[in-house]
């Protein structure tokens, strides 16, 4: 298992199983889907804003997968 929270004293708390790690990419995918829908509607007003929103979503995806790999392995 791994600690979801580490106290101020450095004691691991809220220890979960390895399957809980897959919540990270699921949340990131949900965020990506929401941002795609928002960008679709936003593109009618500002292409730049829509592209920034999509770029931020891709960056979040990359960071989440890097975190998952670093924690799991």
């Amino acid at each position: 298992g791994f600690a979801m929270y580490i106290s101020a004293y450095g004691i691991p708390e809220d220890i979960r199983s390895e399957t809980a790690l897959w919540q990270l990419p699921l949340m990131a995918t949900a965020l990506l889907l929401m941002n795609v829908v928002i960008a679709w509607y936003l593109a009618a007003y500002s292409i730049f804003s829509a592209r920034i929103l999509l770029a931020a979503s891709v960056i979040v995806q990359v960071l989440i997968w890097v975190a998952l790999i670093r924690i799991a392995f």
Side-chain angles (χ1 to χ4, degrees):
F2 68 99
M4 290 292 289
Y5 175 75
I6 297 177
S7 71
Y9 297 108
I11 301 169
E13 297 178 0
D14 193 17
I15 303 207
R16 297 202 181 173
S17 68
E18 298 296 328
T19 57
L21 283 175
W22 292 105
Q23 290 177 351
L24 288 171
L26 288 176
M27 288 186 295
T29 303
L31 179 67
L32 176 69
L33 292 175
M34 288 186 293
N35 283 346
V36 166
V37 171
I38 293 169
W40 184 328
Y41 289 111
L42 191 59
Y45 303 104
S46 173
I47 293 291
F48 178 75
S49 297
R51 288 182 180 168
I52 290 293
L53 186 62
L54 292 176
S57 298
V58 170
I59 291 169
V60 167
Q61 283 284 330
V62 170
L63 291 174
I64 290 293
W65 280 102
V66 167
L68 176 74
I69 290 168
R70 290 193 64 190
I71 292 171
F73 303 107

